[in-house]
Amino acid sequence: MITLKETAMALSVAMMSFCSLHAATGDVSAGRIWLEASGVPGEEPLVNFPVMIRLREGERRFSHADFSDGNGDPDVTFADEHGNILTHEIEQWNVSGETVVWVKIPSLVNGMRIRMYSRGPVQDVDTTAIWSAYKGVWHLNEPAGATTFANAQGYYMDGIDHGTTYAAGIAGPARRISDGVKGAADGHNIEIPNKDEPGVGYVNQRVFNDNSAHNAFSMWIKYPFDQTPGNDVLTRQQWNEGDKGGWSVRLNGNATQLSSTGRNQGQTSDEVFNNLSDGEWHHLVVVYDDTSRYIYTDGELRARMTGVAPIDGDWNWQPMGWGGYVNGNPVSFKGWMDELRFAAGLYPAPVEKDGGYEAPQLVKAEYLNVKNGFFAIRRYGFTMKVR
């Protein structure tokens, strides 16, 4: 018969063995937690989906100290249930508040578990691989005073600041494009310049032209309830109406109309959807799919248009702008932006259902991923000092 003392000694040996495999030098704590997925929409697995995980100090016993090295920097590894290492990117590490981490899940389904632990192998995979399905991903998590914004996808297209300000976002930090004090035409925006990179060519043209008929833009926006939109620009690649090539997406009227323009003829379609000027964060996706255009807000299809002008054809060689015109007549977005993304050929068409159409699984998942989250701590493992 095994005594309690022998059992305790066996557990102690097992714990020491685990720590010896994952230990670093120094007097630090080792931690391990299990996270379980729920609330994932659809019946099919989401493939290579970047999941956002929020970790708050003190919530369900979570402590940043258990996942930090001897210098207080993050020391985190993610793995699936079989021990396969998952690529991750830390957007914000806030030891006194909320930490935001993105983890690429090869096959995301409800009920699956992943493990987060410290003292693990050093991640030597390029974190930009998380965003390989996109052409541009701007977290806007740079500190106050930043003049550039990194493209987390890694492909050249870093943003340049024009008058925006640091603010709290839906996922870590964000940017206030314009406060409206100077009126709509203050020229504030985030510019994605059309740079001529050696061996690459003009960056924007290469990205946009490769998939010019199937481009899409997604963003989280918050519009103040005490402001009225006046053709506020959300994203634009046209300096002036009627310029060949490019696109324009603008918020109009009482924040229930959105204008989306294709190439050459300045063709615009206005569609009414839920009111966005309520001071809350909303997720917006605009898809240009050849001669069809789809508008989604908060995971729901709001407009489905066919026979409209695409954004391919002769290109205009102009930079891309988020939140305002880069040149020409400036009409800045009087609100906040976060998690800006540009994709090509990524989003499926709306799904036919009950005689109508609804948003595809990916659009719903992108919204719910940030709004509610899919992973929550289910079990907190041991923590102990490792020397």
Short mmCIF file of all heavy atoms in Angstrom, two decimals, residues 211-246:
data_model
loop_
_atom_site.label_atom_id
_atom_site.label_comp_id
_atom_site.label_asym_id
_atom_site.label_seq_id
_atom_site.Cartn_x
_atom_site.Cartn_y
_atom_site.Cartn_z
N ASN A 211 -4.87 40.99 -55.89
CA ASN A 211 -6.22 40.49 -55.59
C ASN A 211 -7.23 41.62 -55.68
O ASN A 211 -8.11 41.76 -54.83
CB ASN A 211 -6.26 39.87 -54.19
CG ASN A 211 -5.35 38.67 -54.06
OD1 ASN A 211 -5.72 37.56 -54.39
ND2 ASN A 211 -4.15 38.91 -53.57
N SER A 212 -7.09 42.45 -56.69
CA SER A 212 -7.81 43.73 -56.70
C SER A 212 -9.32 43.58 -56.72
O SER A 212 -10.03 44.49 -56.30
CB SER A 212 -7.36 44.56 -57.90
OG SER A 212 -7.57 43.85 -59.12
N ALA A 213 -9.83 42.47 -57.22
CA ALA A 213 -11.29 42.32 -57.30
C ALA A 213 -11.88 41.76 -56.00
O ALA A 213 -13.10 41.67 -55.87
CB ALA A 213 -11.66 41.41 -58.46
N HIS A 214 -11.03 41.38 -55.05
CA HIS A 214 -11.53 40.72 -53.84
C HIS A 214 -10.84 41.28 -52.60
O HIS A 214 -10.12 40.58 -51.90
CB HIS A 214 -11.29 39.21 -53.93
CG HIS A 214 -11.94 38.57 -55.12
ND1 HIS A 214 -13.26 38.22 -55.16
CD2 HIS A 214 -11.43 38.26 -56.35
CE1 HIS A 214 -13.56 37.71 -56.35
NE2 HIS A 214 -12.47 37.72 -57.08
N ASN A 215 -11.03 42.54 -52.36
CA ASN A 215 -10.43 43.20 -51.20
C ASN A 215 -11.46 43.40 -50.10
O ASN A 215 -12.67 43.51 -50.37
CB ASN A 215 -9.84 44.55 -51.60
CG ASN A 215 -8.57 44.39 -52.43
OD1 ASN A 215 -7.74 43.55 -52.13
ND2 ASN A 215 -8.43 45.20 -53.46
N ALA A 216 -11.00 43.46 -48.87
CA ALA A 216 -11.91 43.64 -47.74
C ALA A 216 -11.21 44.43 -46.64
O ALA A 216 -9.98 44.38 -46.49
CB ALA A 216 -12.37 42.29 -47.19
N PHE A 217 -12.02 45.15 -45.87
CA PHE A 217 -11.51 45.99 -44.79
C PHE A 217 -12.34 45.69 -43.54
O PHE A 217 -13.56 45.66 -43.59
CB PHE A 217 -11.64 47.47 -45.15
CG PHE A 217 -11.13 47.77 -46.53
CD1 PHE A 217 -11.98 47.73 -47.63
CD2 PHE A 217 -9.79 48.05 -46.74
CE1 PHE A 217 -11.52 47.97 -48.90
CE2 PHE A 217 -9.32 48.29 -48.02
CZ PHE A 217 -10.18 48.25 -49.10
N SER A 218 -11.66 45.48 -42.43
CA SER A 218 -12.37 45.30 -41.17
C SER A 218 -11.76 46.22 -40.13
O SER A 218 -10.56 46.52 -40.17
CB SER A 218 -12.34 43.84 -40.71
OG SER A 218 -11.06 43.49 -40.24
N MET A 219 -12.59 46.66 -39.19
CA MET A 219 -12.13 47.60 -38.18
C MET A 219 -13.11 47.63 -37.02
O MET A 219 -14.29 47.27 -37.17
CB MET A 219 -12.02 49.00 -38.79
CG MET A 219 -13.36 49.60 -39.21
SD MET A 219 -13.23 50.95 -40.42
CE MET A 219 -13.10 49.98 -41.95
N TRP A 220 -12.62 48.01 -35.87
CA TRP A 220 -13.47 48.33 -34.73
C TRP A 220 -13.53 49.85 -34.62
O TRP A 220 -12.50 50.52 -34.63
CB TRP A 220 -12.91 47.72 -33.44
CG TRP A 220 -13.22 46.26 -33.32
CD1 TRP A 220 -12.47 45.22 -33.80
CD2 TRP A 220 -14.35 45.67 -32.67
NE1 TRP A 220 -13.07 44.03 -33.50
CE2 TRP A 220 -14.23 44.27 -32.80
CE3 TRP A 220 -15.46 46.19 -31.99
CZ2 TRP A 220 -15.17 43.38 -32.28
CZ3 TRP A 220 -16.39 45.31 -31.46
CH2 TRP A 220 -16.25 43.92 -31.61
N ILE A 221 -14.75 50.39 -34.54
CA ILE A 221 -14.91 51.84 -34.47
C ILE A 221 -15.83 52.21 -33.31
O ILE A 221 -16.71 51.44 -32.93
CB ILE A 221 -15.47 52.42 -35.78
CG1 ILE A 221 -16.86 51.83 -36.09
CG2 ILE A 221 -14.52 52.17 -36.94
CD1 ILE A 221 -17.54 52.48 -37.29
N LYS A 222 -15.59 53.37 -32.76
CA LYS A 222 -16.48 53.92 -31.73
C LYS A 222 -16.75 55.38 -32.08
O LYS A 222 -15.82 56.17 -32.24
CB LYS A 222 -15.86 53.82 -30.34
CG LYS A 222 -16.78 54.31 -29.23
CD LYS A 222 -16.27 53.97 -27.84
CE LYS A 222 -15.10 54.81 -27.42
NZ LYS A 222 -14.76 54.66 -25.98
N TYR A 223 -18.02 55.71 -32.22
CA TYR A 223 -18.39 57.07 -32.63
C TYR A 223 -19.12 57.74 -31.47
O TYR A 223 -20.06 57.16 -30.89
CB TYR A 223 -19.29 57.04 -33.86
CG TYR A 223 -19.28 58.33 -34.63
CD1 TYR A 223 -18.33 58.55 -35.63
CD2 TYR A 223 -20.19 59.34 -34.34
CE1 TYR A 223 -18.30 59.74 -36.32
CE2 TYR A 223 -20.16 60.54 -35.03
CZ TYR A 223 -19.21 60.73 -36.02
OH TYR A 223 -19.17 61.92 -36.70
N PRO A 224 -18.73 58.95 -31.10
CA PRO A 224 -19.35 59.61 -29.94
C PRO A 224 -20.81 59.95 -30.19
O PRO A 224 -21.19 60.36 -31.28
CB PRO A 224 -18.50 60.89 -29.77
CG PRO A 224 -17.89 61.13 -31.12
CD PRO A 224 -17.68 59.78 -31.74
N PHE A 225 -21.62 59.76 -29.18
CA PHE A 225 -23.06 60.00 -29.32
C PHE A 225 -23.40 61.47 -29.49
O PHE A 225 -24.48 61.81 -29.95
CB PHE A 225 -23.81 59.43 -28.12
CG PHE A 225 -23.46 60.06 -26.81
CD1 PHE A 225 -24.10 61.22 -26.39
CD2 PHE A 225 -22.48 59.52 -26.01
CE1 PHE A 225 -23.77 61.82 -25.19
CE2 PHE A 225 -22.14 60.12 -24.80
CZ PHE A 225 -22.78 61.27 -24.39
N ASP A 226 -22.45 62.36 -29.15
CA ASP A 226 -22.73 63.79 -29.24
C ASP A 226 -22.19 64.42 -30.52
O ASP A 226 -22.11 65.63 -30.64
CB ASP A 226 -22.16 64.54 -28.03
CG ASP A 226 -20.65 64.35 -27.90
OD1 ASP A 226 -20.10 63.49 -28.60
OD2 ASP A 226 -20.04 65.07 -27.08
N GLN A 227 -21.79 63.59 -31.50
CA GLN A 227 -21.29 64.08 -32.78
C GLN A 227 -22.20 63.57 -33.90
O GLN A 227 -22.85 62.53 -33.76
CB GLN A 227 -19.86 63.62 -33.03
CG GLN A 227 -18.84 64.16 -32.04
CD GLN A 227 -18.37 65.56 -32.41
OE1 GLN A 227 -18.75 66.13 -33.42
NE2 GLN A 227 -17.53 66.13 -31.55
N THR A 228 -22.22 64.28 -35.00
CA THR A 228 -23.00 63.88 -36.17
C THR A 228 -22.06 63.66 -37.35
O THR A 228 -21.29 64.58 -37.70
CB THR A 228 -24.04 64.94 -36.54
OG1 THR A 228 -24.92 65.14 -35.44
CG2 THR A 228 -24.84 64.50 -37.77
N PRO A 229 -22.09 62.48 -37.97
CA PRO A 229 -21.20 62.23 -39.11
C PRO A 229 -21.52 63.16 -40.27
O PRO A 229 -22.67 63.48 -40.53
CB PRO A 229 -21.50 60.78 -39.48
CG PRO A 229 -22.15 60.19 -38.29
CD PRO A 229 -22.90 61.31 -37.64
N GLY A 230 -20.48 63.57 -40.95
CA GLY A 230 -20.63 64.38 -42.15
C GLY A 230 -19.74 63.85 -43.24
O GLY A 230 -18.73 64.46 -43.60
N ASN A 231 -20.04 62.67 -43.74
CA ASN A 231 -19.21 62.01 -44.74
C ASN A 231 -17.85 61.63 -44.16
O ASN A 231 -16.83 61.71 -44.83
CB ASN A 231 -19.02 62.92 -45.96
CG ASN A 231 -19.48 62.25 -47.23
OD1 ASN A 231 -20.11 61.19 -47.20
ND2 ASN A 231 -19.17 62.85 -48.36
N ASP A 232 -17.84 61.22 -42.91
CA ASP A 232 -16.59 60.86 -42.23
C ASP A 232 -15.94 59.66 -42.92
O ASP A 232 -16.57 58.62 -43.11
CB ASP A 232 -16.87 60.49 -40.77
CG ASP A 232 -17.27 61.68 -39.93
OD1 ASP A 232 -17.75 62.67 -40.50
OD2 ASP A 232 -17.09 61.61 -38.70
N VAL A 233 -14.66 59.78 -43.22
CA VAL A 233 -13.94 58.72 -43.92
C VAL A 233 -13.50 57.63 -42.95
O VAL A 233 -12.89 57.91 -41.91
CB VAL A 233 -12.71 59.29 -44.65
CG1 VAL A 233 -11.88 58.16 -45.25
CG2 VAL A 233 -13.15 60.26 -45.74
N LEU A 234 -13.82 56.38 -43.28
CA LEU A 234 -13.34 55.23 -42.52
C LEU A 234 -12.07 54.69 -43.14
O LEU A 234 -11.08 54.47 -42.46
CB LEU A 234 -14.42 54.15 -42.46
CG LEU A 234 -15.69 54.55 -41.70
CD1 LEU A 234 -16.76 53.47 -41.85
CD2 LEU A 234 -15.39 54.78 -40.23
N THR A 235 -12.09 54.44 -44.44
CA THR A 235 -10.89 54.06 -45.17
C THR A 235 -11.04 54.54 -46.60
O THR A 235 -12.15 54.57 -47.15
CB THR A 235 -10.62 52.54 -45.12
OG1 THR A 235 -9.43 52.24 -45.86
CG2 THR A 235 -11.78 51.75 -45.70
N ARG A 236 -9.91 54.92 -47.20
CA ARG A 236 -10.00 55.53 -48.53
C ARG A 236 -8.69 55.33 -49.28
O ARG A 236 -7.61 55.37 -48.70
CB ARG A 236 -10.30 57.02 -48.40
CG ARG A 236 -10.64 57.70 -49.71
CD ARG A 236 -11.14 59.13 -49.45
NE ARG A 236 -11.50 59.85 -50.66
CZ ARG A 236 -12.67 59.78 -51.26
NH1 ARG A 236 -13.62 59.02 -50.74
NH2 ARG A 236 -12.91 60.46 -52.35
N GLN A 237 -8.81 55.12 -50.58
CA GLN A 237 -7.65 55.07 -51.46
C GLN A 237 -7.98 55.86 -52.73
O GLN A 237 -7.61 55.49 -53.81
CB GLN A 237 -7.27 53.62 -51.77
CG GLN A 237 -5.78 53.39 -52.00
CD GLN A 237 -5.42 53.36 -53.46
OE1 GLN A 237 -6.25 53.14 -54.33
NE2 GLN A 237 -4.15 53.59 -53.76
N GLN A 238 -8.71 56.94 -52.52
CA GLN A 238 -9.01 57.92 -53.58
C GLN A 238 -8.84 59.31 -52.98
O GLN A 238 -9.38 59.61 -51.92
CB GLN A 238 -10.46 57.79 -54.06
CG GLN A 238 -10.75 56.59 -54.93
CD GLN A 238 -12.22 56.52 -55.32
OE1 GLN A 238 -13.08 56.93 -54.57
NE2 GLN A 238 -12.49 56.01 -56.51
N TRP A 239 -8.09 60.15 -53.64
CA TRP A 239 -7.92 61.52 -53.14
C TRP A 239 -9.17 62.34 -53.42
O TRP A 239 -9.56 63.20 -52.65
CB TRP A 239 -6.73 62.17 -53.80
CG TRP A 239 -5.42 61.68 -53.28
CD1 TRP A 239 -5.24 60.77 -52.28
CD2 TRP A 239 -4.13 62.04 -53.73
NE1 TRP A 239 -3.91 60.54 -52.07
CE2 TRP A 239 -3.19 61.31 -52.96
CE3 TRP A 239 -3.65 62.89 -54.72
CZ2 TRP A 239 -1.82 61.43 -53.13
CZ3 TRP A 239 -2.28 63.00 -54.89
CH2 TRP A 239 -1.38 62.28 -54.11
N ASN A 240 -9.78 62.11 -54.54
CA ASN A 240 -10.96 62.88 -54.93
C ASN A 240 -11.98 61.95 -55.57
O ASN A 240 -11.62 60.94 -56.19
CB ASN A 240 -10.58 63.98 -55.93
CG ASN A 240 -9.57 64.96 -55.36
OD1 ASN A 240 -9.89 65.75 -54.49
ND2 ASN A 240 -8.33 64.89 -55.85
N GLU A 241 -13.25 62.28 -55.44
CA GLU A 241 -14.31 61.50 -56.07
C GLU A 241 -14.05 61.39 -57.57
O GLU A 241 -13.69 62.37 -58.23
CB GLU A 241 -15.68 62.14 -55.84
CG GLU A 241 -16.17 62.01 -54.41
CD GLU A 241 -16.55 60.59 -54.06
OE1 GLU A 241 -16.59 59.74 -54.96
OE2 GLU A 241 -16.77 60.33 -52.86
N GLY A 242 -14.24 60.18 -58.11
CA GLY A 242 -14.09 59.99 -59.54
C GLY A 242 -12.69 59.61 -59.96
O GLY A 242 -12.48 59.29 -61.13
N ASP A 243 -11.70 59.66 -59.04
CA ASP A 243 -10.36 59.22 -59.40
C ASP A 243 -10.41 57.74 -59.81
O ASP A 243 -11.15 56.95 -59.22
CB ASP A 243 -9.41 59.35 -58.20
CG ASP A 243 -8.95 60.78 -57.97
OD1 ASP A 243 -9.29 61.64 -58.82
OD2 ASP A 243 -8.28 61.03 -56.97
N LYS A 244 -9.63 57.40 -60.82
CA LYS A 244 -9.64 56.01 -61.25
C LYS A 244 -9.03 55.12 -60.18
O LYS A 244 -8.18 55.52 -59.40
CB LYS A 244 -8.85 55.87 -62.55
CG LYS A 244 -7.36 56.18 -62.42
CD LYS A 244 -6.66 56.03 -63.76
CE LYS A 244 -5.16 56.30 -63.62
NZ LYS A 244 -4.47 56.14 -64.92
N GLY A 245 -9.51 53.87 -60.14
CA GLY A 245 -9.01 52.93 -59.15
C GLY A 245 -9.44 53.31 -57.75
O GLY A 245 -10.17 54.26 -57.51
N GLY A 246 -8.99 52.53 -56.79
CA GLY A 246 -9.20 52.88 -55.40
C GLY A 246 -10.59 52.63 -54.87
O GLY A 246 -11.44 52.03 -55.53
#
